[in-house]
Amino acid sequence: MSFEQAWLNYTERTSCEGADRLQNIYADVQDELMRNSVRELQLGLEGMTGRQPVLREISCNGEGNGVHFVYQAGMRKESYHLYEKDGMVTIEASDSNGILYGTFALLRQIRTKDTIAGMDIAKAPDMPLRMLNHWDNMDGSIERGYSGESFFFVENEVVVDDRTVTYARLAASVGINAVVINNVNVKDAATWLITERYLGKVRELAELFAGYGIKLFLSLNYAAPVELGELESADPLDERVKDWWKKRMEIVFGEVPGFGGFLIKADSEGRPGPFTYGRTHADGANMLAEAAAPYGGLIIWRCFVYNCQQDWRDYKTDRARSGYDNFMGLDGTFLDNVILQIKNGPMDFQVREPVHPLFGGLTKTNQMLEVQIAQEYTGQQRHLCYLIPMFQEILKFRTYVKEENDTVSDIVSGKTFGQHNCGIAAVANTGNDENWTGHDMAAANFYGFGRLAFDTKLTAEEIAGEWIAMTYGRDGQVMETLTDLLMRSWPAYEKYTCPLGIGWMVNPNFHYGPSVDGYEYSRWGTYHRADHEGLGVDRSHDGTGYALLYREPNASVYDDRNKCPDELLLFFHHMPYTWKLRSGKTVIQHIYDTHFEGVEMVDEMVERFSKLQGKLPAGPYDRMMERFTHQKEHAREWRDQINAYFWRKSGISDEKEREFY
Amino acid sequence: MSFEQAWLNYTERTSCEGADRLQNIYADVQDELMRNSVRELQLGLEGMTGRQPVLREISCNGEGNGVHFVYQAGMRKESYHLYEKDGMVTIEASDSNGILYGTFALLRQIRTKDTIAGMDIAKAPDMPLRMLNHWDNMDGSIERGYSGESFFFVENEVVVDDRTVTYARLAASVGINAVVINNVNVKDAATWLITERYLGKVRELAELFAGYGIKLFLSLNYAAPVELGELESADPLDERVKDWWKKRMEIVFGEVPGFGGFLIKADSEGRPGPFTYGRTHADGANMLAEAAAPYGGLIIWRCFVYNCQQDWRDYKTDRARSGYDNFMGLDGTFLDNVILQIKNGPMDFQVREPVHPLFGGLTKTNQMLEVQIAQEYTGQQRHLCYLIPMFQEILKFRTYVKEENDTVSDIVSGKTFGQHNCGIAAVANTGNDENWTGHDMAAANFYGFGRLAFDTKLTAEEIAGEWIAMTYGRDGQVMETLTDLLMRSWPAYEKYTCPLGIGWMVNPNFHYGPSVDGYEYSRWGTYHRADHEGLGVDRSHDGTGYALLYREPNASVYDDRNKCPDELLLFFHHMPYTWKLRSGKTVIQHIYDTHFEGVEMVDEMVERFSKLQGKLPAGPYDRMMERFTHQKEHAREWRDQINAYFWRKSGISDEKEREFY
């Protein structure tokens, strides 16, 4: 299958003053990272200016007509300083990673700005770990994949080819420095990835990645010693199990130099874990961490642990509490090379959730934020839903764990507690589709995630603008239209799907399209509790008490139906349909209105997009228009089903007397 | 995979007076049917009496210590006369089929009665065609199969082995004389069944079947000429298409002597058909019938044609009308070797539906009744649901198409219009599970369907008794308990699932387990239209007018909410929850009560069944108990979800103040 270059679109001449004078690269090329930096610059400048710069392999601190790669001791890890002076461009860094990021920054400048004159950009990445989690299975399928099949695995083999190289370039260009290539649900052949059967190929991939500053990680099957047929137990306190892992780690880290470590989903949704042996998650994680420590390996342990066999009749058990309840008591007991990976919200990547209360709860544990750019619950890359504004809200959320530097961003950047094993991970949205992400504009989420992780101060609009200019150039109408579409897409999606913080009104399993009761009588702990008088889940002190897991003043705000923000009201409270929101509207009228508004927004967006015909390349335009056409129709389906459901159930008429069914 | 003998259980000594004196068989064995009759009698008598009778191959009308097979001209096709006189048993028939049926009748007598003395049974089958429709795919899967994989197909090959022989014996023993081996949704390899690639194996199977009086049929892909790559059209009025089919029929009937003909699902649920070419179903069916006529082949054409892309917002279109609307206008235009196969109800095998209005509508067209013993919507062979009482109700339904002989049974038996190409078909419930039908007691539906088709006057209790005695012997407690369980199972299932004629409250696709809104906002034309005031579909003259498709007085009864039988009220009318039924209960209280009653019935049934431990063989007992245990729990899930749904929606409390959720 062929593939495009996404935002590494160097094929067009770009008018950026000063760029065409960059005809030499002065560099002391000593490693693959540096070599790739040179290559990228040659490729980019040739594409954008028509002339390939020549590499002058000399250590040069003097003058010269071109780009100078300069090692500068004492700078922060992975940081760069990029500046222009008298027609000469310098990229300073204390490591080759910084040089690579500076190189991509230069190419970005050329592609997205009018000039390089006077540029002076010094940037150290905000997050230590900027990671992608691929949920690719070794049979080639992708769990929650909406962009075709895996390009890492085909028929139970690891693939390393041209596409892998382009993937690494795309990831590195936005600052990704860690990648997990296989699904967190580790089964079948994937359990064998840590064995001789696959390690040769894993090494090949790790070396390729290393050349782009990316550490390779694997998802691990906690029960590997058992499932590989070598032990009868995976008890983390059993010495034989410990020894087995020590030997296994020696093999893996020995075979794969620079290997990053492991991501583990344990005791969750049917996956094995330490609970099987009456042990804690700390027992499990520390056992692995101890074995990986000699090699600098990290153990990234997911906190997505809950009872997925809940009885819907049970109003006491609250899935939202489970992450907190399972891990809070373990705070401070994890080794330093363990990181807890915590989803942004307590449920599962809904279009709107409160921030996970473990952020601000944990104070003595390394933490990573997990978000999902695979649009599992946000339109599956058939609907446009630009997620960067959501991620920004999450990152800016004040936890009040300290008086300052207390946001989620501060915590996972390491600022709050001075940690260095921390960062942010996104469940990836790529596949082997020609355009990588199914919906062409879904690439903005991949691009934006990396950029945001590297520089949390960027705004969603700035990132959108960069991505558009990188991908389609700087035409004013294109820039303005696509930015507008991106920025309106998440609010629109929230409006025509699940307003007021209620989630899960989707078709079971697939998670696509409306089904108000789809998860209402199921075992997944995901209920809206709608009856003829109202809806919402009482998570206040009268209910499950979840609201009280936050630090003050968040707890009091969420706990009080009069103070709780409208957009989370039904997440925290069971409210009558007739309750007046701050907007002055009743809950039911808000439901009706937002569903009509969301559809109107989509109509406007599609109308506006249609004006880009001829302005965008025909291939992407047609693909996008096909998806927008579906989105337009499908948004109506959402609107009509949700409104019909609540109208039929409440018996309350629409004030505006619109047509319901 | 091994398999059991189901009700052909000749392994136990059986105390039946006179049976042990049957030590000879006097027969003039001239064909395979006769040979199989002898074999079966030898097998059965050896098993049940301990002594194998000896075949005396002489034409014998005189005396003798044993069983005499006697050809008697002038008797009706497939009929037999079985009687005992002075210790000698005679089976008279005018064809070998009758001899075979008489043989099975004798074995049944021995297994289920105390004596053969004085028996005198003359029986001609009521239905000309007594057919099973297997929905087996050539990859080995079975559409709506709940008993394992196919035993007709494995990995795209036709299988003929010991299991096929036992299958034919089981089918013949209850009077089945026609079998369609492949799914009506004909795709992929199955399209090629009518080609040289498979005909050799089809012939082998047809010959085996013929030895048991069974004609082999195939489901046909209407678009075969196109999909086999030979023509670009399947237009039934195109001469090239007609010629193609004539040649194809010549090949198929030539290669497979005695081949029965074809079953066709056209223009339904995505299957191709004559509509593609702007032609009628009569055009399509007659084109095939003309080609098959020279060989005595039948074309069985399904009437399950409806719009499966309906908009749920559309209250006018009514799937229930579609069969009638599509076919009624074609009455009298079909050739004589065409049979229309009509499902028992207008929807799709729900636990309760009115009888299909084409029965009594059509007067000049051959008709077959299609029922489903695969329990797609009736518990999928995990719940016990004995369907023979339902089938009896359907068969006894008076259509008023004539003053007498006007029941569905009369019509499809050929009595009403003097037709001979007619009968009854059941979607089969078998697979390669050891016990054939998943739930051991689901075998009673296979057994019962055949027996009922042969002899429509048998009661459901009689059939149950026969099946129990045949399978487990005549122990009083076993007989009484299992009969009671079978007879209560359908009413119980109806109560805890969908009372008052409302259907489709199931999980989409799978059709298992409750989901009240599962099909409410879908494209399938299957709605309950519940709101906070009431539920049901208005099919009266004020609504879709469906009720008026029946002949009087049925039309007036169904059309009038005051006259409509309770059990079909919500099928025909949208009623307020507060409406008083004839029982004096409101609709909502009826919903609540029946759901509790249904669960109580299951509890009693399981309790009663548990007393058979030690009385039934351990294997079947354990298997059944496992399913009953699930049924008990799952019936509660049905009860609680349905009651919660309607309680939350109506806001009306349960008079008995039971616990709702």
Side-chain angles (χ1 to χ4, degrees):
Chain A
M1 187 169 295
S2 69
F3 58 93
E4 301 175 353
Q5 300 295 309
W7 58 84
L8 294 181
N9 185 7
Y10 302 141
T11 55
E12 288 183 338
R13 292 287 181 279
T14 299
S15 80
C16 177
E17 195 198 328
D20 55 354
R21 288 197 303 273
L22 304 176
Q23 291 168 22
N24 298 292
I25 303 171
Y26 301 94
D28 178 15
V29 177
Q30 305 222 348
D31 61 14
E32 194 62 21
L33 271 163
M34 190 70 101
R35 210 172 344 265
N36 283 331
S37 302
V38 171
R39 272 198 205 118
E40 198 69 25
L41 204 48
Q42 289 180 321
L43 192 64
L45 286 172
E46 184 180 13
M48 293 191 285
T49 70
R51 195 180 301 185
Q52 193 185 81
V54 178
L55 173 64
R56 315 282 177 192
E57 271 209 60
I58 49 162
S59 178
C60 167
N61 291 314
E63 309 235 330
N65 187 11
V67 183
H68 299 247
F69 288 174
V70 180
Y71 278 113
Q72 186 74 51
M75 287 178 65
R76 282 177 58 194
K77 207 177 141 192
E78 297 183 310
S79 70
Y80 63 86
H81 184 196
L82 163 69
Y83 57 93
E84 185 275 346
K85 205 181 159 193
D86 304 330
M88 190 180 91
V89 170
T90 307
I91 301 174
E92 292 174 359
S94 67
D95 52 28
S96 301
N97 306 61
I99 297 289
L100 182 71
Y101 294 140
T103 299
F104 279 116
L106 172 58
L107 290 166
R108 189 159 54 235
Q109 175 83 11
I110 294 169
R111 182 80 175 133
T112 66
K113 306 284 183 193
D114 293 329
T115 179
I116 57 170
M119 76 179 160
D120 189 343
I121 306 165
K123 185 64 207 152
D126 287 325
M127 303 280 177
L129 275 167
R130 306 172 300 279
M131 190 172 219
L132 286 174
N133 291 178
H134 290 268
W135 287 358
D136 291 23
N137 299 314
M138 292 201 64
D139 64 4
S141 64
I142 302 179
E143 185 158 335
R144 311 304 175 188
Y146 311 107
S147 316
E149 299 281 294
S150 174
F151 50 80
F152 289 124
F153 306 111
V154 173
E155 290 177 3
N156 292 323
E157 295 299 336
V158 179
V159 175
V160 182
D161 60 12
D162 286 352
R163 186 158 190 138
T164 332
V165 176
T166 302
Y167 167 79
R169 292 173 52 225
L170 286 167
S173 76
V174 293
I176 300 296
N177 67 354
V179 167
V180 184
I181 57 169
N182 64 313
N183 189 357
V184 288
N185 294 314
V186 186
K187 293 176 199 169
D188 308 321
T191 303
W192 295 81
L193 275 170
I194 55 170
T195 69
E196 292 69 4
R197 183 159 143 198
Y198 291 114
L199 284 174
K201 207 74 187 169
V202 170
R203 176 195 185 119
E204 191 182 335
L205 185 56
E207 285 172 348
L208 189 164
F209 278 1
Y212 289 94
I214 299 166
K215 273 194 181 287
L216 176 65
F217 286 71
L218 292 175
S219 291
L220 197 67
N221 184 337
Y222 184 82
V226 180
E227 292 190 25
L228 294 177
E230 302 197 5
L231 295 179
E232 288 181 6
S233 166
D235 181 351
L237 301 191
D238 184 326
E239 290 301 325
R240 285 164 306 178
V241 176
K242 288 184 184 184
D243 284 347
W244 189 90
W245 278 114
K246 279 180 186 152
K247 284 188 195 118
R248 186 49 45 192
M249 294 291 183
E250 190 182 345
I251 293 168
V252 174
F253 285 90
E255 287 285 320
V256 188
F259 183 70
F262 297 100
L263 175 65
I264 298 112
K265 175 177 179 177
D267 290 315
S268 173
E269 297 180 337
R271 294 286 77 212
F275 284 173
T276 312
Y277 307 97
R279 311 302 183 191
T280 70
H281 282 266
D283 293 332
N286 288 340
M287 184 256 309
L288 294 172
E290 213 175 301
Y295 320 100
L298 293 176
I299 299 299
I300 304 176
W301 193 271
R302 291 176 94 230
C303 291
F304 186 57
V305 176
Y306 68 99
N307 171 14
C308 67
Q309 297 288 349
Q310 189 175 333
D311 188 331
W312 58 270
R313 300 165 189 82
D314 170 8
Y315 279 63
K316 300 250 162 52
T317 305
D318 184 1
R319 169 167 165 178
R321 289 192 62 111
S322 59
Y324 190 96
D325 290 344
N326 275 304
F327 286 90
M328 195 55 212
L330 301 174
D331 192 23
T333 65
F334 293 95
L335 294 178
D336 188 52
N337 62 330
V338 175
I339 306 176
L340 294 189
Q341 184 165 304
I342 304 162
K343 290 193 181 188
N344 61 273
M347 298 301 279
D348 190 18
F349 302 133
Q350 301 301 292
V351 70
R352 174 75 67 176
E353 293 187 37
V355 164
H356 203 297
L358 278 173
F359 293 118
L362 299 168
T363 60
K364 301 184 284 284
T365 302
N366 295 320
Q367 295 159 62
M368 248 170 105
L369 170 64
E370 178 178 324
V371 295
Q372 190 186 41
I373 55 177
Q375 293 171 233
E376 178 176 357
Y377 295 95
T378 50
Q380 304 196 350
Q381 291 147 246
R382 300 181 73 190
H383 294 237
L384 179 64
C385 193
Y386 180 53
L387 296 164
I388 306 307
M390 184 208 284
F391 299 164
Q392 284 182 315
E393 279 192 22
I394 294 157
L395 288 171
K396 286 180 186 159
F397 180 77
R398 290 201 61 184
T399 65
Y400 300 101
V401 65
K402 285 196 168 180
E403 282 187 21
E404 53 183 15
N405 292 334
D406 66 334
T407 65
V408 172
S409 180
D410 294 330
I411 293 170
V412 301
S413 299
K415 281 185 207 158
T416 312
F417 306 115
Q419 293 159 342
H420 56 279
N421 284 334
C422 47
I424 182 167
V427 180
N429 64 352
T430 53
N432 69 355
D433 276 359
E434 192 182 356
N435 66 357
W436 295 87
T437 52
H439 198 309
D440 286 76
M441 290 181 78
N445 285 324
F446 180 1
Y447 183 93
F449 166 74
R451 294 288 292 133
L452 187 66
F454 203 91
D455 186 352
T456 55
K457 290 191 189 52
L458 287 170
T459 67
E461 289 90 339
E462 284 168 341
I463 292 172
E466 275 187 11
W467 172 77
I468 299 161
M470 294 288 288
T471 312
Y472 301 115
R474 299 201 295 271
D475 174 89
Q477 189 189 345
V478 170
M479 290 283 294
E480 204 185 309
T481 303
L482 295 187
T483 302
D484 177 56
L485 262 55
L486 287 168
M487 292 307 294
R488 282 202 283 172
S489 60
W490 176 47
Y493 194 83
E494 182 175 17
K495 276 177 189 253
Y496 64 73
T497 59
C498 308
L500 298 171
I502 202 74
W504 298 104
M505 302 194 298
V506 293
N507 285 300
N509 310 320
F510 312 106
H511 300 167
Y512 192 72
S515 174
V516 181
D517 276 358
Y519 275 102
E520 186 57 16
Y521 301 98
S522 74
R523 62 183 174 86
W524 297 96
T526 48
Y527 314 112
H528 55 62
R529 307 295 192 193
D531 60 24
H532 70 295
E533 287 172 341
L535 83 165
V537 181
D538 187 358
R539 294 189 165 102
S540 74
H541 62 282
D542 287 329
T544 70
Y546 168 82
L548 306 179
L549 303 182
Y550 292 87
R551 291 186 189 268
E552 289 296 359
N554 289 337
S556 302
V557 168
Y558 290 148
D559 193 49
D560 184 344
R561 51 170 62 189
N562 290 297
K563 292 183 190 160
C564 184
D566 280 354
E567 73 269 17
L568 288 170
L569 185 62
L570 300 179
F571 189 93
F572 284 101
H573 300 280
H574 185 86
M575 303 302 294
Y577 293 118
T578 52
W579 176 267
K580 282 245 162 98
L581 300 169
R582 285 145 197 225
S583 62
K585 283 182 185 175
T586 59
V587 166
I588 190 76
Q589 194 59 40
H590 177 91
I591 291 174
Y592 296 158
D593 287 351
T594 46
H595 282 84
F596 279 97
E597 287 159 22
V599 169
E600 281 158 26
M601 285 175 78
V602 173
D603 287 351
E604 285 164 23
M605 286 159 64
V606 179
E607 171 64 20
R608 202 158 175 201
F609 178 77
S610 70
K611 304 237 164 67
L612 296 185
Q613 190 161 26
K615 290 252 173 189
L616 289 175
Y621 177 86
D622 291 344
R623 281 193 303 242
M624 286 191 253
M625 191 43 118
E626 196 187 329
R627 290 190 190 232
F628 279 129
T629 305
H630 168 73
Q631 183 177 359
K632 215 172 126 102
E633 184 191 17
H634 200 233
R636 279 173 170 66
E637 191 61 30
W638 270 99
R639 176 192 72 191
D640 290 345
Q641 281 200 34
I642 304 270
N643 281 348
Y645 180 97
F646 288 106
W647 173 62
R648 291 189 193 180
K649 200 155 200 161
S650 70
I652 299 174
S653 304
D654 174 32
E655 285 173 4
K656 300 182 186 163
E657 296 179 353
R658 287 163 292 203
E659 189 172 15
F660 284 16
Y661 304 94
Chain B
M1 186 168 296
S2 70
F3 58 92
E4 301 176 350
Q5 300 296 308
W7 58 83
L8 294 182
N9 184 7
Y10 302 142
T11 55
E12 290 182 336
R13 291 286 180 281
T14 298
S15 80
C16 176
E17 195 198 329
D20 56 352
R21 288 197 303 272
L22 303 176
Q23 292 168 22
N24 297 293
I25 302 171
Y26 302 95
D28 177 13
V29 177
Q30 306 223 346
D31 61 16
E32 195 61 22
L33 271 163
M34 189 71 100
R35 207 165 354 258
N36 282 332
S37 302
V38 171
R39 276 198 203 116
E40 198 68 27
L41 204 50
Q42 287 178 324
L43 192 66
L45 285 173
E46 183 178 14
M48 294 191 285
T49 69
R51 191 182 304 184
Q52 191 184 83
V54 179
L55 172 64
R56 313 283 178 191
E57 272 208 59
I58 48 164
S59 177
C60 168
N61 292 311
E63 309 236 329
N65 187 11
V67 184
H68 299 247
F69 289 171
V70 180
Y71 279 113
Q72 185 75 46
M75 285 178 68
R76 281 177 60 194
K77 209 177 140 193
E78 299 184 307
S79 69
Y80 63 87
H81 184 198
L82 163 69
Y83 56 93
E84 184 275 347
K85 205 177 158 197
D86 305 330
M88 188 179 92
V89 170
T90 305
I91 300 175
E92 291 173 359
S94 67
D95 52 29
S96 300
N97 306 60
I99 297 289
L100 181 71
Y101 294 139
T103 300
F104 280 115
L106 171 58
L107 290 165
R108 188 159 57 234
Q109 175 83 12
I110 294 168
R111 181 78 175 134
T112 65
K113 307 284 184 192
D114 293 329
T115 180
I116 56 170
M119 82 181 154
D120 189 342
I121 305 165
K123 184 63 208 154
D126 286 324
M127 304 280 176
L129 275 167
R130 305 173 300 278
M131 191 171 219
L132 286 174
N133 291 177
H134 291 268
W135 288 357
D136 290 24
N137 298 314
M138 292 199 66
D139 64 4
S141 65
I142 301 178
E143 183 158 337
R144 311 305 175 188
Y146 312 107
S147 316
E149 300 279 296
S150 175
F151 50 79
F152 288 124
F153 305 111
V154 174
E155 291 178 2
N156 293 322
E157 295 298 337
V158 179
V159 175
V160 182
D161 62 12
D162 285 353
R163 185 158 189 138
T164 332
V165 176
T166 302
Y167 167 78
R169 291 172 52 226
L170 286 167
S173 77
V174 293
I176 300 296
N177 67 354
V179 167
V180 184
I181 57 169
N182 65 311
N183 190 356
V184 287
N185 293 314
V186 185
K187 292 177 199 168
D188 307 324
T191 303
W192 295 81
L193 275 170
I194 55 170
T195 69
E196 292 67 7
R197 183 160 144 197
Y198 290 114
L199 283 174
K201 207 72 186 172
V202 170
R203 177 195 183 118
E204 190 182 335
L205 184 56
E207 284 171 348
L208 189 165
F209 278 3
Y212 289 95
I214 298 167
K215 272 194 181 288
L216 176 64
F217 287 69
L218 292 174
S219 291
L220 196 66
N221 185 337
Y222 183 80
V226 178
E227 293 191 24
L228 294 177
E230 302 197 5
L231 294 180
E232 289 182 3
S233 165
D235 181 350
L237 300 193
D238 183 327
E239 289 302 325
R240 284 163 307 177
V241 176
K242 288 185 182 182
D243 283 348
W244 188 91
W245 278 114
K246 279 180 186 152
K247 283 187 196 116
R248 186 49 44 193
M249 294 292 182
E250 190 183 346
I251 293 167
V252 174
F253 284 93
E255 286 286 319
V256 188
F259 183 69
F262 297 100
L263 176 64
I264 297 113
K265 175 178 181 179
D267 291 314
S268 173
E269 297 179 337
R271 295 285 78 211
F275 284 172
T276 311
Y277 308 97
R279 311 301 183 191
T280 70
H281 282 267
D283 293 332
N286 288 341
M287 184 257 309
L288 294 172
E290 212 175 302
Y295 319 100
L298 294 176
I299 299 301
I300 304 176
W301 193 271
R302 291 175 95 230
C303 292
F304 186 56
V305 176
Y306 68 99
N307 172 14
C308 68
Q309 297 289 349
Q310 190 175 334
D311 188 332
W312 58 270
R313 299 165 189 82
D314 169 8
Y315 278 64
K316 301 249 162 52
T317 305
D318 183 1
R319 169 167 166 180
R321 289 192 63 110
S322 59
Y324 190 95
D325 290 344
N326 276 304
F327 285 91
M328 194 55 209
L330 301 174
D331 192 23
T333 66
F334 294 95
L335 294 178
D336 189 52
N337 61 329
V338 175
I339 306 176
L340 293 189
Q341 184 164 303
I342 305 162
K343 289 193 180 187
N344 61 271
M347 297 302 279
D348 191 18
F349 302 134
Q350 301 301 292
V351 69
R352 174 75 66 175
E353 292 186 39
V355 164
H356 202 297
L358 278 174
F359 294 119
L362 298 169
T363 60
K364 299 184 285 282
T365 303
N366 294 321
Q367 295 159 63
M368 250 172 102
L369 170 65
E370 178 178 325
V371 295
Q372 190 188 41
I373 55 178
Q375 291 171 236
E376 178 175 357
Y377 296 94
T378 50
Q380 302 196 350
Q381 289 147 247
R382 301 181 73 188
H383 293 237
L384 179 64
C385 192
Y386 180 52
L387 295 164
I388 306 305
M390 184 208 283
F391 299 163
Q392 284 182 314
E393 280 193 22
I394 294 157
L395 288 171
K396 284 179 186 158
F397 179 77
R398 289 200 62 184
T399 65
Y400 300 103
V401 65
K402 285 197 170 180
E403 281 187 22
E404 54 183 10
N405 291 333
D406 66 334
T407 66
V408 172
S409 180
D410 294 329
I411 292 169
V412 301
S413 300
K415 277 185 210 159
T416 311
F417 306 115
Q419 292 158 340
H420 56 281
N421 284 335
C422 49
I424 183 167
V427 180
N429 64 352
T430 53
N432 70 354
D433 276 0
E434 192 182 355
N435 66 359
W436 296 85
T437 53
H439 198 310
D440 287 74
M441 289 179 79
N445 285 326
F446 180 2
Y447 183 93
F449 166 73
R451 293 288 292 134
L452 187 66
F454 202 92
D455 186 353
T456 55
K457 292 196 184 48
L458 287 170
T459 68
E461 289 89 338
E462 284 168 341
I463 292 172
E466 274 187 12
W467 172 77
I468 299 161
M470 292 288 288
T471 312
Y472 302 114
R474 299 200 297 270
D475 174 88
Q477 188 188 344
V478 170
M479 290 284 294
E480 204 185 311
T481 303
L482 295 187
T483 301
D484 176 56
L485 263 55
L486 288 168
M487 291 307 295
R488 281 202 283 173
S489 59
W490 176 49
Y493 194 83
E494 183 175 18
K495 276 176 190 253
Y496 64 74
T497 59
C498 307
L500 299 172
I502 203 72
W504 299 103
M505 301 194 298
V506 292
N507 286 299
N509 310 322
F510 312 108
H511 301 166
Y512 192 71
S515 175
V516 181
D517 277 357
Y519 275 103
E520 186 57 15
Y521 301 98
S522 73
R523 63 183 174 87
W524 296 97
T526 48
Y527 315 111
H528 55 60
R529 306 295 190 192
D531 61 24
H532 69 297
E533 287 174 338
L535 83 164
V537 182
D538 186 357
R539 294 189 165 102
S540 74
H541 63 282
D542 288 329
T544 71
Y546 167 82
L548 306 180
L549 303 182
Y550 291 87
R551 290 184 190 268
E552 290 295 0
N554 289 336
S556 302
V557 168
Y558 290 147
D559 193 50
D560 183 344
R561 51 170 61 189
N562 290 296
K563 292 183 190 159
C564 184
D566 280 355
E567 73 269 18
L568 288 171
L569 185 61
L570 301 179
F571 189 94
F572 284 101
H573 300 280
H574 185 85
M575 303 301 294
Y577 293 119
T578 51
W579 176 268
K580 283 244 162 99
L581 300 169
R582 283 143 200 230
S583 63
K585 282 182 186 174
T586 60
V587 165
I588 191 74
Q589 195 59 40
H590 177 90
I591 291 174
Y592 296 158
D593 287 350
T594 46
H595 283 83
F596 280 97
E597 287 161 21
V599 168
E600 282 158 24
M601 284 174 78
V602 173
D603 287 352
E604 286 164 23
M605 285 159 64
V606 179
E607 171 65 20
R608 203 157 176 203
F609 178 77
S610 71
K611 306 236 164 67
L612 296 187
Q613 191 162 26
K615 289 253 172 186
L616 289 176
Y621 177 86
D622 291 345
R623 282 193 302 243
M624 285 191 255
M625 191 43 120
E626 197 187 328
R627 291 189 189 233
F628 279 129
T629 304
H630 168 74
Q631 183 178 359
K632 214 172 127 102
E633 185 190 13
H634 201 234
R636 281 175 167 64
E637 192 60 29
W638 270 100
R639 176 192 71 191
D640 290 346
Q641 281 200 33
I642 304 269
N643 281 348
Y645 180 97
F646 287 106
W647 173 63
R648 291 188 192 181
K649 200 155 201 162
S650 69
I652 300 173
S653 305
D654 174 32
E655 284 173 4
K656 300 182 184 163
E657 296 178 356
R658 288 164 292 203
E659 189 172 14
F660 284 14
Y661 305 93

